[in-house]
Amino acid sequence: MPYVDRQNRICGFLDIEENESSGKFLRRYFILDTQLGSLVWYMDNPQNLPIGADCVGSLKLTYISKVSDATKQRPKAEFCFVINAGMRKFFLQANDQQDLVEWVNALNKATKITVPKSCNAQQNVENQKALLDILGPKKQVSYRTDIIGGVPIITQTQQEGGEGQEGSERELLRRSYSQLPYFLGRPTQDRAVIKSGYCVKQGAVMRNWKRRYFLLEDNTMSYFKSDLEKEPLRMIPLKEVHKVQECKQSDIMMRDNLFEVVTTSRTFYIQADCPEEMHSWIKAVSGAIVAQRGPGRSAATPRTTLTV
């Protein structure tokens, strides 16, 4: 679901068909910034990318004429909606119907259905080029500018890094499986998987933040480098978990949707993609711990906090 971050911007993950009519949707992190009057999208949440990482694409809100449901236009793309910008149409996929409705409403409210004057198209192109000049030369990145129906669209086309970069990109672009009870690519016949999906975790030594695939089972909470890995980086026995709750230090860490898993040896700081996912993880882990105690031993605890 889209959420409002600390800078009062509407953020969240969506899938976008970047190449028109390709039918290929890519996972991106979107930021709707009404103060700057723009919709930008990145490979991942910018907090998890290297400092200064460029956006993959951007669109001025004044170029958007209408945002609407597109499930009839793209019946094979579930929860699809379309952004009309001049003669270009951007098709996007939401995570569910509520997500679709909230994004459509937010975008329409932000744009107020305003269409730019065509006579300003050349000036807009010059402004966009001037902005790139101000940002300075970036040898590892190339851009493409298309004029579509009087609307200049600047898109990043290539980034240096070869197959290694593409491999990392593929990992970041994989659709979040938070809504699924299990991941089909991993054998689960003998495993009772309660919840799985991608979150961002703080490292114990370097204190850096990395995206990891989490798997919650009856007795353990594990995390992997990606959802394709079979061996976890670490397994956290639930019997060692004392508390799981929304992080009280989120303001200090400047992280949205942050929760903590407190164990006997360490506190794990984990960031979900949205508030709903954060509360879903807290509830799932709390429920698994209570269930592990056995019948008649569950305790009344706050909705988003479990103390063992």
Side-chain angles (χ1 to χ4, degrees):
M1 299 297 169
Y3 71 95
V4 179
D5 69 0
R6 298 175 186 278
Q7 300 179 52
N8 203 34
R9 305 175 302 181
I10 297 175
C11 309
F13 281 96
L14 293 167
D15 293 353
I16 181 172
E17 184 186 52
E18 290 184 336
N19 297 321
E20 194 170 9
S21 301
S22 67
K24 183 179 180 181
F25 287 79
L26 303 175
R27 193 73 167 169
R28 303 296 191 214
Y29 185 84
F30 283 77
I31 298 177
L32 174 59
D33 193 330
T34 55
Q35 295 296 319
L36 296 179
S38 64
L39 176 68
V40 297
W41 53 97
Y42 295 82
M43 291 288 188
D44 194 4
N45 187 327
Q47 291 182 330
N48 308 322
L49 297 175
I51 296 175
D54 294 294
C55 64
V56 177
S58 64
L59 186 62
K60 286 290 184 182
L61 298 183
T62 51
Y63 300 157
I64 299 175
S65 59
K66 186 180 180 182
V67 184
S68 58
D69 189 311
T71 50
K72 291 183 178 179
Q73 295 172 260
R74 294 294 178 87
K76 293 184 179 180
E78 196 174 20
F79 311 122
C80 186
F81 66 96
V82 60
I83 297 176
N84 293 275
M87 296 185 69
R88 172 68 196 269
K89 293 184 177 182
F90 293 87
F91 287 91
L92 301 99
Q93 271 187 290
N95 297 308
D96 53 41
Q97 185 61 33
Q98 183 180 349
D99 194 33
L100 182 154
V101 171
E102 290 184 9
W103 271 110
V104 170
N105 290 340
L107 285 165
N108 277 325
K109 182 178 178 180
T111 58
K112 297 182 179 178
I113 318 300
T114 302
V115 184
K117 295 181 179 179
S118 59
C119 62
N120 291 333
Q122 185 60 39
Q123 182 62 44
N124 288 330
V125 173
E126 293 175 0
N127 291 342
Q128 294 276 15
K129 290 180 178 179
L131 177 59
L132 293 179
D133 291 337
I134 292 172
L135 292 174
K138 296 185 180 295
K139 296 181 181 179
Q140 75 276 19
V141 181
S142 61
Y143 294 88
R144 182 182 72 251
T145 301
D146 299 316
I147 308 293
I148 305 176
V151 178
I153 306 295
I154 294 180
T155 308
Q156 181 177 321
T157 58
Q158 185 177 359
Q159 185 165 346
E160 192 176 40
E163 293 182 1
Q165 175 67 25
E166 291 178 4
S168 299
E169 180 178 327
R170 281 195 296 271
E171 181 178 331
L172 289 173
L173 294 180
R174 292 193 63 84
R175 191 178 181 91
S176 170
Y177 291 93
S178 299
Q179 304 295 328
L180 299 177
Y182 56 87
F183 174 56
L184 297 178
R186 187 191 310 280
T188 58
Q189 292 86 342
D190 300 324
R191 307 171 74 168
V193 178
I194 299 171
K195 184 175 176 62
S196 62
Y198 278 97
C199 291
V200 177
K201 184 190 72 67
Q202 186 187 54
V205 180
M206 301 299 293
R207 301 296 178 185
N208 54 348
W209 296 83
K210 292 185 178 180
R211 199 162 187 80
R212 296 296 186 224
Y213 182 78
F214 283 79
L215 192 68
L216 175 63
E217 300 173 272
D218 285 340
N219 301 310
T220 61
M221 183 178 186
S222 310
Y223 56 87
F224 303 75
K225 189 174 182 180
S226 77
D227 53 22
L228 300 178
E229 300 294 327
K230 294 183 178 180
E231 296 298 324
L233 296 173
R234 181 161 182 166
M235 297 179 66
I236 307 170
L238 295 184
K239 64 181 180 181
E240 296 182 6
V241 177
H242 294 298
K243 185 185 298 184
V244 54
Q245 64 181 9
E246 186 171 354
C247 184
K248 298 177 181 179
Q249 300 184 51
S250 58
D251 289 337
I252 299 175
M253 295 185 174
M254 293 301 292
R255 290 265 163 176
D256 297 308
N257 317 316
L258 192 66
F259 66 99
E260 57 187 14
V261 177
V262 182
T263 70
T264 53
S265 59
R266 175 185 166 189
T267 297
F268 294 85
Y269 296 102
I270 304 170
Q271 181 185 24
D273 289 339
C274 63
E276 290 82 5
E277 270 303 291
M278 177 191 70
H279 291 296
S280 176
W281 274 108
I282 293 173
K283 182 178 180 181
V285 177
S286 299
I289 295 172
V290 171
Q292 192 184 52
R293 294 175 174 178
R297 297 186 63 188
S298 60
T301 58
R303 204 172 94 180
T304 58
T305 304
L306 176 76
T307 303
V308 180

